[in-house]
Amino acid sequence: MAITRDDVLKALSTVTVDRGGTTLPGSGRLSPVVIDPGNRVMFSILIDPSEAERFEPVRREAEGRVLALPGVSSVLASLTSERAPNAPSPGGAPRPPGPGAPPRQGNALPGVRHIVAVASGKGGVGKSTTACNLALGLSAQGLRVGLLDADIYGPSVPKLLGLSGKPRVLEGKTLEPMQAYGLKAMSIGFLIEPESAMIWRGPMVQSAITQMLRDVAWGELDVLVVDMPPGTGDAQLTMAQATPLSGAVIVSTPQDLALIDARRGVTMFRKVSVPILGVIENMATFICPNCGAASAIFGHGGARQEAERLEVPFLGEIPLTMAIRETSDAGRPVVATDPDGPQAKVYREIAQKLWGNLTGAPAGRAAPRIVIE
């Protein structure tokens, strides 16, 4: 039986490295996993030399979980304190890249427990609306949530949250995030005129994303949701390589043309060793506002089938309804303004599944309030 790297990462996701429940793959300490033709699995765990005694039980548990996988012939798990010059310390190091990928240079954001990218392979699939309502669904579980609009060329978060004005500058060049509906938010849309055309080249885009991530006083957050730019270009790679992402969510509509691009998104994140937390099918069915009948105008079930084919979690389906469109356009997102309605229920259920995939907590169970030391 052939063993895949995803099989190993799934087994290792049950191993935690601290009392907060941070998984080994999500801790930034796990090296690339190597599997040789004889199904021998090798990986290392990055530590500071002073942590050797504390991490020995983690190493043994990780080794045992992988060895229990059917078909694995042997496992070599080691503790290492080796790192490249000027690399961050183990506690803040990002996950190492996969084979052939450029090295990731990210540092952990102080006080932010998880960073989740919401991405799509192409535009027009409702990614930003999904990211916004997903963030609100996580907040509804009692979590502290931020929303970063990394879509430099088409920022949507100001419109979706009904926010205007410019963020306040705190000490130095640090910006205070805007707030709405219990979310902390930042977007390039707060810093430019609404009708300005962003005709920036790659390096400027990368710099803007990095500044919005690093030079914002996010404070303590359980989850920072990042609304990614569509596609798989420079901006996406900047986030994937320079940020300690806990995982990514792929949004797609059901038709084949959108799914082709969604596959590219999954491939990109896998190449830079970012776990896929799930796939969402948006605009799964059109709900007639008059008769309530459902029509599969973009097809139906394509994203679910693709998730099964790619062996990644399927988080759920979001219908195409007038209520979602109207509340989004009005800056009154449906999860916040109609929390007991059917549309909000869909987003909240997806948010619960996402939190479960992120932390290992059972879906549907209220998330605990996290206190970050």
Side-chain angles (χ1 to χ4, degrees), residues 162-174:
L163 288 170
S164 60
K166 296 186 181 300
R168 189 163 64 96
V169 179
L170 303 177
E171 183 179 354
K173 61 179 180 178
T174 304

Side-chain angles (χ1 to χ4, degrees), residues 314-332:
F314 181 70
L315 295 175
E317 301 175 356
I318 301 170
L320 176 61
T321 69
M322 291 288 287
I324 293 176
R325 196 276 301 166
E326 289 173 346
T327 55
S328 298
D329 283 350
R332 303 178 67 251

Side-chain angles (χ1 to χ4, degrees), residues 124-187:
V125 299
K127 168 186 55 60
S128 295
T129 300
T130 301
C132 178
N133 282 289
L134 193 58
L136 289 164
L138 290 165
S139 180
Q141 298 181 58
L143 298 169
R144 295 163 295 190
V145 183
L147 178 60
L148 172 60
D149 186 354
D151 192 346
I152 300 298
Y153 295 117
S156 302
V157 165
K159 177 71 172 177
L160 287 165
L161 292 179
L163 288 170
S164 60
K166 296 186 181 300
R168 189 163 64 96
V169 179
L170 303 177
E171 183 179 354
K173 61 179 180 178
T174 304
L175 298 176
E176 181 179 41
M178 307 288 273
Q179 297 200 37
Y181 305 108
L183 299 180
K184 294 181 179 181
M186 182 52 62
S187 169

Side-chain angles (χ1 to χ4, degrees), residues 253-255 282-287 293-300 320-321:
T253 47
Q255 74 269 36
N282 197 30
M283 308 181 198
T285 52
F286 170 69
I287 308 299
S295 302
I297 58 176
F298 295 121
H300 181 255
L320 176 61
T321 69

Side-chain angles (χ1 to χ4, degrees), residues 332-350:
R332 303 178 67 251
V334 68
V335 173
T337 57
D338 187 18
D340 297 322
Q343 292 83 19
K345 181 181 178 183
V346 171
Y347 285 114
R348 290 202 314 271
E349 289 176 349
I350 290 175

Side-chain angles (χ1 to χ4, degrees), residues 278-293:
V279 173
I280 296 172
E281 181 168 296
N282 197 30
M283 308 181 198
T285 52
F286 170 69
I287 308 299
C288 176
N290 297 317
C291 66

Side-chain angles (χ1 to χ4, degrees), residues 21 34 71 122 130 139 166 190 222 250 262 270 278 310 313 323 333 338 366:
V34 176
K122 64 180 297 180
T130 301
S139 180
K166 296 186 181 300
F190 298 140
D222 298 314
I250 305 296
R270 281 178 165 169
L310 295 172
D338 187 18

